[in-house]
Amino acid sequence: LLMGRHLAELGLAPGRDFGVILNRAYEAQLEGMFFDLTHALAWLRDQGDLPLTAGVRRELEARCRREGQGITR
């Protein structure tokens, strides 16, 4: 569900971190942690140990508020 283009839209520059983030997201998806893009973004926002910049985290927070229909931490 979560793809590199979504990370780029958030402002993350393509590179090694894409693979790290996408692999973790794929594993989480297989484990049933989320089932659509909105929840995938909320999951990503809550992963404090992933290599996301402060700007990307702010954008995630804004999108979760805007698109998440009340998805909170």
Side-chain angles (χ1 to χ4, degrees):
L1 294 171
L2 188 66
M3 301 169 65
R5 67 183 171 94
H6 300 118
L7 300 179
E9 289 171 2
L10 291 168
L12 191 66
R16 185 182 82 67
D17 291 342
F18 263 42
V20 171
I21 294 166
L22 293 174
N23 284 335
R24 283 273 302 278
Y26 183 67
E27 290 174 17
Q29 180 183 341
L30 291 177
E31 293 171 6
M33 301 295 293
F34 53 83
F35 51 88
D36 62 18
L37 182 58
T38 298
H39 287 89
L41 293 173
W43 171 87
L44 181 59
R45 174 200 61 201
D46 295 341
Q47 304 309 301
D49 63 329
L50 286 177
L52 300 173
T53 65
V56 170
R57 290 190 186 281
R58 281 192 300 274
E59 181 60 26
L60 275 168
E61 191 66 43
R63 285 196 187 191
C64 287
R65 279 196 306 271
R66 188 170 58 244
E67 299 172 12
Q69 303 167 350
I71 293 175
T72 58
R73 294 177 198 232

